[in-house]
Structures are given as structure tokens and as C-alpha cells.
Amino acid sequence: MRMVFSTILGLMQEFTGVWVRDPRIQKEDFWHAYMDYEICIHTNSLAFTKKSSCVRRRYSEFVWLRKKLQENAMLVYVTITSCYCYLLQTHLPKLPPKNPFFSLNNAREIGARMEGLRKFLEEVVHSPVLLSDSCLHLFLQSQLSVKKIEACAEGRSRYTVSEAIHSFGSGNKRFESLSEENMEEEEDMHRESE
């Protein structure tokens, strides 16, 4: 009987797989371009709204996420002890360093950055404290901009985190049901009516 239970428990163990792939150059205008990456999550964790998702994110959005995770993690532990806050701060995973001479055409540099971003996310999604952050879930499972992620996580939008993930989640289209622009127009109309 014990063997059956241990086998069942072994099969039910949580997993979360993270992939960073498909780098693409996005042109803002004639002179400016940046690279974004497809971030895919596959999990059986109850912490995630969707069990599989893929979104596109750029390096500067990862910088924003790390800063937000650090701020929010400090808020969680500030009431415990300042010593623990320091330990938490030192254990927050690092991003690959920003290279001012990063080349959008250098496969080696792109591969190293993708691997660094993957390692960062792997550590983050396996940290219970960081995994409890709404900004992380919106970052990984919705195509919302960082501005809209902040608004949603702070309760300044008409939709909950879960609704945002379902409405703006991954799929073949950029947004599955409502476009971000339509949702923004609805929010503006709602604010004007208050």
C-alpha cells in the first residue's frame, strides 16, 4: 500500500518548465530596433492560471520584472526582520548583464542572453515568495504592457489578474478575445462614468 501511495505522489509532483526561444528583431522605426523573445511556460502547478502559455518579452521588460519582484518581495518580509529582507534580496536571481554593444545579429550573444533569461525565470518560478507575485503571472501569461500589468496588479483596472491572463493570454493571435486597446477604451469610459 505504501508503494502505491509513493508512486502516486511521485507522479503528482509539481513541475514548471520554462523556455526562452525564437528571438525576433522588432523595428520601432528606421533607426531603432530591439529583440524580443518567446517565453513559454508548461506546468501542472496550481499557482498558475494557465498550464501552458507563450508570450513575447524584451530584455527591458525583464529588467522591470526583476525590479518589481524585488520591491514586492521586500514588502512581504519587511514586517518579519530586516535581516531576512537582506537575505531575500541577495537570493533574487540575476539577469544576464546588459551589454551596451549587444548585437542583434550576433547569434552567440543572443544565445547567451536567452540562456541567462531562462535561468533567471527558472529560479523565479521555483521560489514560493516570488511565485506569489501577481506581476510575475501577468508577465509570464499575458501580453499586457508593463504599465498595464502594474495597473492590474494594483487593482487599477476593470479586470482581475485571472481575467487579464485569460483575455490577454497567449494563443495564435496576440490577444485571444479582447484587444488591449479595446480594454483600455472600456476602462476610460468606466472612469468617465464614475
Side-chain angles (χ1 to χ4, degrees):
M1 187 69 133
R2 280 187 182 163
M3 189 167 169
V4 171
F5 283 125
S6 64
T7 303
I8 290 171
L9 288 174
L11 292 174
M12 295 174 55
Q13 194 170 30
E14 275 192 7
F15 69 87
T16 301
V18 178
W19 294 269
V20 177
R21 60 188 185 196
D22 190 23
R24 290 188 191 163
I25 296 173
Q26 305 294 332
K27 295 193 181 237
E28 293 180 306
D29 57 37
F30 185 75
W31 296 106
H32 300 95
Y34 64 88
M35 179 147 311
D36 69 5
Y37 310 90
E38 184 177 48
I39 312 303
C40 295
I41 301 288
H42 184 71
T43 185
N44 67 352
S45 171
L46 297 175
F48 286 89
T49 302
K50 287 185 168 183
K51 300 311 169 197
S52 293
S53 62
C54 292
V55 297
R56 297 203 70 83
R57 296 289 178 197
R58 61 191 287 184
Y59 181 82
S60 62
E61 292 172 317
F62 277 88
V63 172
W64 169 86
L65 175 65
R66 187 178 189 284
K67 182 179 178 215
K68 201 55 140 166
L69 290 172
Q70 188 171 17
E71 289 170 5
N72 293 345
M74 291 299 203
L75 289 174
V76 170
Y77 285 106
V78 78
T79 58
I80 297 175
T81 66
S82 59
C83 180
Y84 195 75
C85 286
Y86 176 73
L87 289 173
L88 179 67
Q89 185 177 10
T90 59
H91 284 77
L92 191 67
K94 294 190 182 308
L95 286 169
K98 182 170 176 70
N99 178 356
F101 304 107
F102 183 79
S103 171
L104 298 178
N105 298 313
N106 185 323
R108 194 179 95 254
E109 285 181 9
I110 293 167
R113 178 171 279 182
M114 287 191 317
E115 181 60 17
L117 295 174
R118 186 195 63 75
K119 285 180 180 178
F120 168 78
L121 289 175
E122 280 283 341
E123 287 186 51
V124 167
V125 299
H126 289 98
S127 165
V129 171
L130 301 176
L131 194 56
S132 68
D133 194 305
S134 296
C135 289
L136 173 66
H137 290 276
L138 289 164
F139 180 88
L140 293 173
Q141 297 197 301
S142 80
Q143 287 291 159
L144 292 175
S145 67
V146 293
K147 182 179 174 183
K148 293 198 184 313
I149 289 173
E150 284 180 342
C152 183
E154 294 169 6
R156 294 185 289 114
S157 66
R158 288 191 56 210
Y159 43 89
T160 65
V161 171
S162 184
E163 290 168 343
I165 289 170
H166 285 294
S167 296
F168 304 122
S170 61
N172 290 336
K173 300 178 209 169
R174 181 164 161 88
F175 305 114
E176 289 177 351
S177 59
L178 295 172
S179 73
E180 192 171 341
E181 292 80 19
N182 289 346
M183 190 68 103
E184 187 175 278
E185 288 173 11
E186 284 183 27
E187 283 180 25
D188 290 341
M189 289 172 42
H190 177 67
R191 276 191 219 110
E192 289 172 4
S193 67
E194 291 179 333

